[in-house]
Every structure is written in structure tokens, then in C-alpha cells.
Amino acid sequence: MNNKVKQSKFKRLLVISIIMAIGGYFLYFHHLFKQDRDFGFVDTENITMDYTIYPSTIPENQLLRIEEAERLYRRAFDNQVYYAVGDPDELVKLIKHAWLWDKNAMPYYYDLLLWHDVYDKKEGNMSFTEFMKKYRDQLVDNGGKPLVEPVVFKDRKMLSYLWDKFADLKYPKFAFQKGWRFSPCKGGNNEEYIPCSDEQLEESIKYFNYALDGGYHCYEDLAARMLFQQGAHYKDNEFKKINKLTEYRKSLIPERLKLAIDYAEIMAEHSSIIGILRVTEAYLYGLGREQDPVKAYAWSLLSDYAKQKIIEIDNNLAWYRHQLPPVWEYNKQIQTRLEQILTPEQKQAAQNELAELKTKIIDWNYNRWQEQIDDFHPKP
């Protein structure tokens, strides 16, 4: 009898121990799960989304420039090979800026969260999870108060909403991206461009103007939307046929035509072959400039000079060479036409004009200049 009582007590103790052990494990893993959530990882359950666009509390002179934010991300996190933390101190800085609504840092934090979900563990490299466990206490504001991940990072659907709103608020990085959404307009075969509506073009122009005001050198993109109904300098995305200036938009007013040629001239000063062509056409046809065949001939000769420079420099990154053959061909047609009507004196005057134009070329690497962003203080 005593043995049965002892066995019964032992069984009860064993059951109680098992229950307590299981409960302990549940509490332990709940603690880990809660700890991960506190680190700022994406948790989409029971979220009340906040659609407010908050200004950054970072002082304006400390906000990241567009290119500065990209360079910081490249140092902080490897999203090309290892998909792991690069420089923890730089990642701390990036996350602080993103959580404090620095608009230029926020896209890179979204990108980081994506790679965290896909590749969170790489042998020999620090994962984002490991980083947050080790460095979470450094994510504090200037007063030492722990920062909280904004709720907008909890739902990836918010990404497109935020980018749209940032573009509407004239943040240049997002405005530039949104400008491409409306044009050029592609046809059914996805090669030939088709006419865009004026409404589409005006939307593109609006956002590219925001980007231009924010330091982008998007003169070529902007001029194409202003001048041509397709929203492009070429008739197709294979760059086989070029739009001529005489095919400008019927709704284009003289003031805007002149402004588009002003932009083309800025492009030309940085060795844009399209820019040189547009100014040549402007003087040839009297569109955006007073008609002047001598100046038209001088600019067409500048195109020849630029062509020779491109060959001499031999930098495939400076110009997109596959886009240039239609320009050379059209320029040759213009030259042949002008040579038939100009007198020897006029041709000599054009040579004199050419000599001056050569001195006005500021940069012989057009693509590099086009991709540069002028240094403006970002907006909070």
C-alpha cells in the first residue's frame, strides 16, 4: 500500500515538474519573441497605422543629403553579397536617422528590413538580428532617450504611400522617381512610344521641376516632356529614331519652348549631344531662339567637334553611345542643307562662333554631370 502511495505521489510530482518545465520554456520563448519585437522588427499584428507625415526632429544641417544617405547605407549594410551588417556604427547612425523621419534615410531602412526577412543569418557575418541585440541600447535621441521604430515601418504597403506623399511635398529624391511614372508613354509592342496626354506630361513636368529645384540635373528629362508629346527625345526605346524639334507639342506656348531650349543649352555646356542638337534646331527653325542660320551652322559644327572628342576621350561611361547614331545622321542632314545656302563669309562667321562655343563646354563627361545632385540642405 505504501509503495502505491509513493508511486502515486511520484507520478504527481513528475507531472507537475513537466508542466512547470513546459511553462518555463513558454515564458522563455515569449521573452525572446517580445525582445525581438522591442528591437524594432516588423510585426504586422494588431497595428493601428498612422498616416501622418512627420517632420524630422534632426537639426536641418544634420539631415542626410540624398547621396550621403546612399553612401552611409553602403557602408552600414552589405545588400550585394553577404546581406549582413557591414559597419555597426554606421548602421546605428542610419537607423537613428530613419526612425527620426530623415526622409533620405527611410528608403534604405525599408530595404534593410527586406533583406533581414530574406537573409537574416550568414555564417561569419553579423545578421541584423544580432546587431539589434547588441546595439539596440545605442538607438537613442540626443537626450539619451530610447528611440522607437515608427509604425510606418511595420507594414510594407506603407512604402508606396509614403513615397507618393514625399513626392507631393517636394522632397527631390521622391519627386524625381515619381516624374517617371507618367511618361514616356509606351505602345502595345513596348518599343514605340505613343503620344501621352497633356495631363500625363504636366504631371511629369511638375515632379521633375520639384527635383530640379532640389538639385537634380534632370534637364534632359524635363525638356523631353516639355517639347514632345511622347515625353521622350526618341520615338522608341531602342533609340533608333529621334524626334525633331519641328514635331513639338501643339499645346506648347512660346515661353515654355524658350525655356526648354534654355535647358538644352545648359545640357550642351556639359557636352550633351542631344542638347547641342536641340540648340542647333532652335536657331535653324527659329523655335525658342531667333532664327539664325549662321549660329545654327556653328552649333552643328560643335556637334561634329563633340563627336571627335567622344572618340578621343574613349569613355563609354560619359555618353550612351548607342543613342547617338540618329543624332549624327540628323545633324549631317542639317549641315548639308545649311552648306547649300550659306555664303563663304557666313561659313567663316560660323567658324568664329564655333571657336567661342568650344570654350563654353564645362564638362566632357555628360553622364557624370547628369547624375550629380547639387548640395542643398534637405528639408525636415
Side-chain angles (χ1 to χ4, degrees):
M1 183 71 178
N2 287 338
N3 286 337
K4 289 182 178 179
V5 171
K6 288 180 180 179
Q7 288 176 358
S8 178
K9 287 182 178 180
F10 176 75
K11 288 179 180 178
R12 286 198 297 270
L13 288 171
L14 181 62
V15 170
I16 292 170
S17 298
I18 292 171
I19 292 172
M20 290 178 67
I22 293 172
Y25 276 116
F26 273 117
L27 287 172
Y28 174 72
F29 284 112
H30 174 73
H31 169 73
L32 287 182
F33 174 71
K34 184 178 184 299
Q35 188 180 44
D36 276 355
R37 281 193 308 182
D38 290 344
F39 286 151
F41 295 157
V42 175
D43 174 21
T44 57
E45 294 181 6
N46 303 318
I47 291 175
T48 301
M49 189 51 62
D50 184 356
Y51 291 90
T52 307
I53 305 297
Y54 291 96
S56 178
T57 56
I58 299 173
E60 186 172 318
N61 63 352
Q62 296 177 25
L63 292 170
L64 297 173
R65 270 71 167 172
I66 294 168
E67 293 172 321
E68 184 183 10
E70 181 178 2
R71 290 193 296 268
L72 176 63
Y73 178 54
R74 300 298 172 222
R75 295 192 300 270
F77 191 82
D78 178 2
N79 70 340
Q80 300 294 322
V81 180
Y82 297 108
Y83 302 97
V85 176
D87 186 326
D89 293 332
E90 297 286 60
L91 188 52
V92 167
K93 180 179 178 180
L94 177 73
I95 295 174
K96 280 185 178 182
H97 277 260
W99 285 12
L100 288 170
W101 283 81
D102 185 333
K103 310 305 183 294
N104 290 330
M106 293 175 75
Y108 299 108
Y109 184 67
Y110 268 112
D111 191 60
L112 191 154
L113 290 177
L114 170 64
W115 296 123
H116 157 63
D117 282 354
V118 179
Y119 301 102
D120 191 51
K121 182 62 181 175
K122 286 278 187 177
E123 293 299 326
N125 297 284
M126 181 184 291
S127 70
F128 184 54
T129 302
E130 293 168 335
F131 165 83
M132 291 299 282
K133 288 177 180 177
K134 187 173 181 180
Y135 291 92
R136 178 62 179 91
D137 62 341
Q138 295 187 27
L139 298 176
V140 295
D141 62 18
N142 289 337
K145 182 180 178 181
L147 295 174
V148 177
E149 181 191 54
V151 71
V152 292
F153 291 118
K154 302 292 186 183
D155 186 353
R156 297 238 169 78
K157 294 177 183 177
M158 284 295 292
L159 191 146
S160 59
Y161 169 80
L162 286 176
W163 287 193
D164 262 359
K165 291 300 182 184
F166 290 169
D168 292 341
L169 291 169
K170 304 182 182 181
Y171 288 98
K173 175 182 177 67
F174 307 95
F176 180 74
Q177 293 171 350
K178 193 169 182 178
W180 282 96
R181 185 183 304 174
F182 305 97
S183 62
C185 298
K186 297 180 180 179
N189 62 9
N190 212 32
E191 292 181 3
E192 292 281 337
Y193 293 135
I194 61 173
C196 304
S197 68
D198 284 336
E199 290 75 17
Q200 288 173 297
L201 293 174
E202 290 308 314
E203 285 295 292
S204 275
I205 290 168
K206 177 176 72 175
Y207 290 107
F208 281 130
N209 270 319
Y210 292 164
L212 190 71
D213 291 342
Y216 275 79
H217 294 172
C218 53
Y219 297 95
E220 183 173 327
D221 303 317
L222 189 51
R225 274 73 179 178
M226 296 167 71
L227 290 172
F228 304 111
Q229 204 66 47
Q230 298 97 329
H233 288 283
Y234 292 83
K235 295 182 181 294
D236 61 288
N237 63 8
E238 297 292 327
F239 308 102
K240 295 177 180 177
K241 298 178 182 178
I242 194 162
N243 277 314
K244 299 179 180 179
L245 190 57
T246 50
E247 301 174 286
Y248 65 88
R249 292 170 60 190
K250 300 309 177 188
S251 60
L252 190 60
I253 60 175
E255 291 78 12
R256 188 174 266 189
L257 173 57
K258 180 184 180 304
L259 181 59
I261 302 304
D262 289 344
Y263 290 159
E265 194 159 342
I266 293 172
M267 294 157 52
E269 289 171 354
H270 295 85
S271 69
S272 165
I273 308 305
I274 283 285
I276 294 172
L277 175 66
R278 295 306 177 209
V279 181
T280 301
E281 293 178 288
Y283 283 117
L284 176 64
Y285 301 116
L287 296 171
R289 291 289 186 271
E290 186 176 345
Q291 192 170 23
D292 189 328
V294 172
K295 287 187 176 180
Y297 189 50
W299 278 90
S300 76
L301 293 174
L302 181 64
S303 186
D304 285 349
Y305 176 73
K307 182 179 182 179
Q308 188 59 39
K309 270 285 190 179
I310 290 174
I311 295 171
E312 291 173 6
I313 293 170
D314 194 27
N315 182 354
N316 289 328
L317 299 178
W319 300 270
Y320 297 122
R321 292 197 181 191
H322 64 288
Q323 300 180 12
L324 302 182
V327 180
W328 304 139
E329 181 182 349
Y330 182 35
N331 186 65
K332 193 62 181 176
Q333 293 172 10
I334 291 174
Q335 273 189 12
T336 301
R337 174 181 170 182
L338 288 169
E339 285 168 354
Q340 291 173 351
I341 63 173
L342 292 177
T343 66
E345 292 77 13
Q346 289 175 314
K347 291 178 182 178
Q348 184 56 53
Q351 290 290 344
N352 297 339
E353 180 82 14
L354 172 63
E356 185 177 347
L357 291 176
K358 289 178 181 178
T359 66
K360 294 182 178 180
I361 304 296
I362 300 169
D363 193 340
W364 283 104
N365 189 326
Y366 174 64
N367 285 345
R368 179 181 61 193
W369 172 79
Q370 187 182 30
E371 293 167 3
Q372 288 172 352
I373 303 171
D374 294 335
D375 188 15
F376 285 91
H377 278 307
K379 297 190 304 178

